[in-house]
Amino acid sequence: MDESGGSGQPRSGNDQSTDRHTGGTAPTTDPTQPEPATTDTRVAETGKPDAEPTRTDEPVGTDEPAAPEPPETPKPDAPADTPGRTGTTPRLAKSRVPRKPKDPGGGLLMGRPFGVPVYVAPSWFLVAALITWVFGGQLDRVLPELGAVRYLVSLFFAVAFYASVLVHELAHTVAALRFKLPVRRIQLQFFGGVSEIEKESETPGREFVLAFVGPLLSLILAGVFYLALQTVEPGTVPGVLLAGLMISNLIVAAFNLLPGLPLDGGRMLRAVVWKITGKPMTGTIAAAWVGRALAVSVLIGLPLLTQAGALGSDAEDSVGMDTVTDALLAAILAAIIWTGAGNSLRMARLREHLPELRARNLTRRAVPVETNTPLSEALRRANDAGARALVVVDPDGEPLSLVREAAIVGVPEHRRPWVSVSGLAQDLTDGMRVSAELSGEELLDALRATPATEYLVVEDSGEIYGVLSAADVERAFVKAMARPN
């Protein structure tokens, strides 16, 4: 079964006004004091959440507190001219392109056609063994002279069948790349394959083409195997293999053309409803509910068809173990379709909220402090400026690191005058600098490329805008997803 089209991580946020976060007024509480939690979910276990998901007031970090330094008080540096600003423009004018994330994984890597990794999931080996056993039993009736060799022939059939499934998935991949849609991976797994396309099609026409090319290639393969079948003698090993591959590809095409998500036919139905209504979400809802109805039909109808002999076996033979096997197969197929339809609804809702996630709205005000500034002095400046984050800068105002919230919490109050902020900070890497203009999927892609608890947010001019916490992004998403559509 094909479930191609879109994977990705929960993404969303809040659409609020874009006020400057590096200056202005804000609550003047100690950044180390906890506030009420709003959710138990975390992008990273980074500290204490705020009550407001879009305006968080705590720096966040995960490292252990630095060891106390000797009781020697460094000379405090002078406050910045503008609260929450470094006073100078960093040499990095813009946030750099994040490093490419690692391969997604998902089983045994088989290759990278068109640059897309193809994985074989562990569940495939279970299915391959099942196909080998079942097809071997059929070969024993058709070609009894093969003996034990029939299982080797059956294994070849299982591999050839999944090679056909791979061609089906590659059709989706090529179409997606043609439409400039990134494909995360192809995975061959239990009951078929999945092409994980990370973005939605821009138009219903492209969505329809992207879904239709998979079943079309399966039909073409069935035709190719039919033509090849005409050149061999029936009742031979090549004849049985070609006939089996022809029939299996016809079944794959027909099954995927059923009009319910997550099948290709469901995506085609979604495209049609999208075209008629002009609303992609309406198309998703319609196709998802048809998919759920289809799941119920498979659960009830498949065992009834088998018992009635409509699938090629006598009704009298469809008892006992065969009945249990058919019922189990129907239950598995129904569960896969039902779950896929539900996931499609959730992903559509997620993408609907995704544009609301803006780096500028979620950024905390920040205060620049030099390396040797005592922690107590840095916290005083943050309170005076109404800021909730600390950026360590060099004498020229160039940002060097971000002070970690967890490290601040771990320093007792009476030790804070003797601990410099540099011992509590995480050095900045290129991926930890993000543009204030990032939003939605681009923002989350940047955060996933360089996992961290805090990020330095800069303007396109290179001017420091503030600090973005990964936990703030996650809380904004949770709040947005909790709202009804």
Side-chain angles (χ1 to χ4, degrees):
M1 184 184 73
D2 174 61
E3 299 175 39
S4 57
S7 60
Q9 301 294 326
R11 307 167 184 172
S12 188
N14 292 324
D15 188 3
Q16 295 188 359
S17 60
T18 57
D19 57 314
R20 298 285 296 184
H21 279 30
T22 53
T25 60
T28 58
T29 58
D30 192 329
T32 63
Q33 296 302 316
E35 297 184 2
T38 60
T39 176
D40 292 329
T41 310
R42 297 286 182 270
V43 170
E45 295 300 325
T46 54
K48 307 174 181 63
D50 300 315
E52 288 293 330
T54 58
R55 286 293 303 275
T56 54
D57 291 327
E58 289 185 323
V60 184
T62 57
D63 299 316
E64 291 92 15
E69 297 183 357
E72 178 181 349
T73 308
K75 182 179 180 181
D77 53 318
D81 295 335
T82 304
R85 300 283 294 278
T86 62
T88 61
T89 301
R91 287 189 290 273
L92 271 176
K94 295 183 180 180
S95 59
R96 296 183 181 178
V97 178
R99 291 188 297 271
K100 193 173 183 179
K102 297 181 180 180
D103 285 338
L108 180 65
L109 178 63
M110 301 302 294
R112 296 176 181 274
F114 307 103
V116 177
V118 176
Y119 293 93
V120 173
S123 60
W124 177 86
F125 295 95
L126 176 62
V127 177
L130 180 62
I131 292 175
T132 301
W133 178 65
V134 173
F135 195 68
Q138 294 176 347
L139 281 177
D140 190 35
R141 291 191 292 270
V142 178
L143 300 169
E145 65 275 12
L146 288 179
V149 179
R150 68 180 183 274
Y151 292 109
L152 184 61
V153 176
S154 299
L155 179 60
F156 178 82
F157 170 78
V159 174
F161 168 67
Y162 267 86
S164 302
V165 173
L166 176 59
V167 172
H168 177 114
E169 297 304 327
L170 286 175
H172 292 301
T173 297
V174 171
L177 296 177
R178 176 66 178 81
F179 295 144
K180 302 187 184 308
L181 301 175
V183 182
R184 184 169 180 257
R185 67 178 178 181
I186 296 173
Q187 187 182 53
L188 300 179
Q189 54 183 231
F190 196 77
F191 278 119
V194 178
S195 300
E196 296 185 1
I197 302 171
E198 294 189 324
K199 291 184 179 180
E200 289 283 349
S201 300
E202 296 178 355
T203 64
R206 290 186 175 186
E207 174 77 357
F208 188 92
V209 171
L210 188 59
F212 180 64
V213 291
L216 177 62
L217 257 291
S218 294
L219 288 173
I220 292 174
L221 283 176
V224 170
F225 289 127
Y226 173 76
L227 294 177
L229 184 61
Q230 308 309 308
T231 65
V232 300
E233 295 183 8
T236 62
V237 170
V240 172
L241 286 175
L242 289 172
L245 290 172
M246 179 192 69
I247 295 173
S248 61
N249 275 276
L250 284 174
I251 293 174
V252 168
F255 185 73
N256 276 281
L257 285 173
L258 293 175
L261 286 173
L263 304 175
D264 291 329
R267 297 182 61 198
M268 294 163 64
L269 174 62
R270 174 182 182 268
V272 171
V273 177
W274 178 3
K275 179 67 175 179
I276 294 173
T277 64
K279 298 179 181 179
M281 188 64 182
T282 302
T284 301
I285 293 174
W289 278 105
V290 172
R292 287 177 169 175
L294 180 63
V296 175
S297 300
V298 169
L299 179 63
I300 299 174
L302 185 59
L304 292 179
L305 289 174
T306 303
Q307 287 187 352
L311 298 181
S313 60
D314 294 334
E316 296 126 9
D317 298 333
S318 302
V319 293
M321 194 63 189
D322 288 341
T323 301
V324 175
T325 302
D326 293 335
L328 180 60
L329 177 63
I332 294 174
L333 285 174
I336 292 174
I337 297 173
W338 183 278
T339 303
N343 288 340
S344 298
L345 278 175
R346 283 188 288 273
M347 289 300 298
R349 184 181 178 192
L350 179 153
R351 286 191 171 96
E352 192 175 46
H353 291 300
L354 189 58
E356 303 172 9
L357 193 67
R358 302 173 186 270
R360 190 176 295 276
N361 292 350
L362 298 172
T363 299
R364 299 171 174 178
R365 295 180 177 91
V367 165
V369 292
E370 292 191 0
T371 302
N372 295 326
T373 305
L375 177 59
S376 58
E377 171 63 15
L379 294 178
R380 183 192 66 78
R381 294 183 194 178
N383 287 333
D384 289 346
R388 307 295 297 184
L390 301 173
V391 179
V392 179
V393 299
D394 63 16
D396 296 328
E398 175 71 16
L400 301 175
S401 55
L402 302 177
V403 179
R404 302 159 299 186
E405 182 266 351
I408 294 177
V409 174
V411 179
E413 188 171 354
H414 69 278
R415 292 292 304 162
R416 292 176 181 177
W418 318 113
V419 177
S420 64
V421 292
S422 61
L424 308 175
Q426 180 180 3
D427 291 339
L428 283 171
T429 62
D430 291 344
M432 292 174 62
R433 300 172 186 259
V434 300
S435 170
E437 301 304 322
L438 290 181
S439 63
E441 194 164 356
E442 289 183 350
L443 173 61
L444 293 189
D445 286 343
L447 302 192
R448 287 202 308 269
T450 307
T453 55
E454 294 98 5
Y455 300 85
L456 182 69
V457 181
V458 295
E459 297 282 10
D460 287 344
S461 63
E463 195 175 23
I464 293 178
Y465 184 72
V467 172
L468 176 67
S469 167
D472 297 346
V473 177
E474 188 276 337
R475 283 192 289 271
F477 163 73
V478 171
K479 182 178 180 181
M481 290 296 291
R483 296 198 308 268
N485 289 326

